[in-house]
Amino acid sequence: EAELSISGRTKDLLIDTQGTVVEVEEQVSLDSLPSNVREAVKLQVRDGEIVGIETLTRGGKLVGYELQIRRGLRKSEIQIGPDGAVLH
């Protein structure tokens, strides 16, 4: 796994033993998300605080978004698909 910082945003690359990039997680802003995903994020966050949002790309295809949310002292992660559906 490689961690990069590009223009103040993080980008994590998961690379297999052959040197192929398997997965990319890239930090993005709430404003950059499609409207259906933004609405799903707001429903999930409710009274929490968004700590971070990353795109998840596998095999060159966007497969979802990963949210890091804080509620009080608790942190949790939620994944939302490109269609706005909660993945887990």
Side-chain angles (χ1 to χ4, degrees):
E1 187 168 342
E3 289 186 31
L4 308 170
S5 180
I6 302 169
S7 300
R9 296 193 183 268
T10 61
K11 187 172 191 173
D12 299 333
L13 306 173
L14 181 60
I15 303 167
D16 68 14
T17 57
Q18 309 293 317
T20 304
V21 175
V22 177
E23 181 178 274
V24 177
E25 294 182 357
E26 187 170 0
Q27 185 181 18
V28 295
S29 67
L30 181 63
D31 293 342
S32 71
L33 302 178
S35 61
N36 62 326
V37 174
R38 222 175 16 251
E39 290 305 313
V41 166
K42 290 176 185 176
L43 288 173
Q44 293 301 311
V45 173
R46 290 175 286 198
D47 60 340
E49 172 190 353
I50 298 172
V51 177
I53 303 172
E54 297 175 322
T55 57
L56 299 174
T57 305
R58 292 188 187 112
K61 181 180 177 188
L62 176 68
V63 295
Y65 301 89
E66 187 173 83
L67 309 171
Q68 293 85 37
I69 300 170
R70 180 181 14 236
R71 287 188 181 94
L73 298 176
R74 291 186 53 204
K75 281 188 179 179
S76 60
E77 281 190 359
I78 298 171
Q79 288 188 359
I80 296 177
D83 62 355
V86 176
L87 302 175
H88 69 80

